[in-house]
Amino acid sequence: MSQIVSEPQNSPRDRTGIRTAALVVAAGKGLRAGQPVPKQFARWRGKPVVRHSVEALAAAGCAPILVVIPDGAEAVAREALAGIAGVQFTTGGAARQESVRLGLEVLAGAEPDRVLIHDAARPLLPAEVIERLLIALDAYKGAIPVLPVADSLTHAAGDLMGAPARREDLRRVQTPQAFHFAEVLAAHRDWDGPTNAGDDAQVAQAWGMDVALVEGDETLHKLTYAADFGASKPLVRVGSGYDVHRLEEGEELWLCGVRIAHTHGLSGHSDADVAIHALVDAMLGAIGAGDIGQHFPPSDPQWKGAASDRFLAHAGKLVADEGYALANADVTIICEAPKIGPHREAMRERLADILGVDIAAISVKATTTEKLGFTGRREGIAAQAVVSLGLV
């Protein structure tokens, strides 16, 4: 195989008249992924796995796009790819190599000039990788995306360490793999032996084709095991919260878990910590878990006078149970008095302590309404909060 240097992405290429088809291999059973349907049709990040890459190939101008599917799976495949123009289906074989050959035979009727052969289990397909492959096909009959190997490698001698392997000489191979159509079809037709080639580049190389290497992308990760589908949740979630409590004489004033000496305090069923209540609602909202009133109803006497740090700790646990961690929280307290500045750092420390996060993840700030409205008349205090959660 040959190493090539891709052209800059802003180098225009005129491919007028060159027809590039795509063949998406989606004929496996996907049993290791632990999904109720073959993994290529399971939902991942809001849509079926196979749909992600097919949309990317369609956006790149590939036509036709032939999806090779298991026997009897046409209904689920059509549902998964509904609305994408130019998609066709055919049934695959017992092995991947056989499925590709069968697919190429079907595509032969369309007489494409080039073909991208892609595994459906690699859903995220950057347009830049497709472009690098097509550039390589201007000089070579075949090209594949690869990545360097980071770990040390060795050959195995049974249960013992064998000869070392030079990672500098090795690459991780991805798909799509790109070829001039006539040549890769001939390579598959001429294959003599068991249909156990690891990929189409091996078939092409055995036929005598030089296959160029282009830079791949880590996002082309292959979904294989059940744990891979944990990433079907959004990587980031955002929530907002807002709360208001009335100021009254004779009440204690708690803000962000800190008691503040003041002429008035906030009135409510619990300790009426308006800032924590807004933060709790933001966290619950980010994971779609309702609001503070659903979890701690004011009609329940057990929460009368309760410290709001219990509510915040509960919200933090629910966030963790969903597989997320607090990335940052931004709390704004809206009042004419008291002055929040002298207490800001104590508030940040208390919130960080309750949630078990670094204080750098917590922002507390204050503003007034220029003496307008109920906060301007010092009848109450309002608070709003915004949080972002990251998948762990």
Side-chain angles (χ1 to χ4, degrees), residues 12-249:
R13 281 277 176 161
D14 182 7
R15 299 192 182 91
T16 303
I18 298 176
R19 299 187 59 209
T20 302
L23 192 160
V24 180
V25 187
K29 295 181 179 180
L31 299 178
R32 287 180 293 176
Q35 301 299 306
V37 295
K39 65 182 177 184
Q40 60 269 35
F41 303 120
R43 294 188 71 81
W44 184 83
R45 296 194 183 180
K47 63 183 74 172
V49 170
V50 66
R51 189 176 184 93
H52 290 270
S53 58
V54 171
E55 286 181 339
L57 291 165
C62 296
I65 300 173
L66 182 68
V67 183
V68 187
I69 60 176
D71 186 30
E74 184 169 349
V76 67
R78 288 191 179 279
E79 181 180 359
L81 298 173
I84 305 177
V87 176
Q88 303 172 13
F89 301 94
T90 193
T91 301
R96 182 192 183 281
Q97 184 177 348
E98 184 180 353
S99 293
V100 172
R101 185 187 63 79
L102 292 171
L104 291 173
E105 296 288 0
V106 173
L107 283 176
E111 299 182 343
D113 301 295
R114 299 173 173 185
V115 63
L116 299 178
I117 304 175
H118 186 58
D119 289 332
R122 298 182 187 271
L124 299 183
L125 177 47
E128 294 81 4
V129 173
I130 295 176
E131 180 64 14
R132 287 194 285 267
L133 290 166
L134 296 179
I135 289 173
L137 287 186
D138 292 335
Y140 294 87
K141 299 294 185 182
I144 59 175
V146 298
L147 290 173
V149 176
D151 297 325
S152 295
L153 299 172
T154 184
H155 293 280
D159 293 332
L160 298 177
M161 180 177 176
R166 282 178 47 84
R167 64 184 177 189
E168 296 83 359
D169 298 331
L170 301 173
R171 298 292 185 271
R172 291 179 285 152
V173 178
Q174 301 178 311
T175 70
Q177 299 186 348
F179 303 95
H180 288 215
F181 184 83
E183 283 79 356
V184 74
L185 176 60
H188 272 274
R189 285 174 172 173
D190 287 352
W191 180 269
D192 185 18
T195 54
N196 58 2
D199 61 11
D200 304 291
Q202 293 181 15
V203 175
Q205 189 182 51
W207 186 73
M209 185 187 301
D210 286 334
V211 180
L213 308 181
V214 306
E215 181 185 354
D217 196 299
E218 290 289 356
T219 61
L220 270 168
H221 171 70
K222 185 176 182 181
L223 303 181
T224 304
Y225 302 104
D228 294 325
F229 281 80
S232 61
K233 295 181 178 180
L235 296 178
V236 176
R237 302 191 72 159
V238 176
S240 66
Y242 178 81
D243 196 31
V244 174
H245 279 284
R246 182 184 300 276
L247 281 166
E248 292 186 1
E249 288 186 304

Side-chain angles (χ1 to χ4, degrees), residues 244-249 251 253 262-267 334-338 369 371-382:
V244 174
H245 279 284
R246 182 184 300 276
L247 281 166
E248 292 186 1
E249 288 186 304
E251 297 284 354
L253 179 58
H262 190 52
T263 58
H264 292 66
L266 291 171
S267 175
I334 306 165
C335 63
E336 292 293 331
T369 56
K371 298 184 179 182
L372 299 174
F374 71 90
T375 58
R377 294 189 297 269
R378 305 192 180 196
E379 296 170 2
I381 295 178

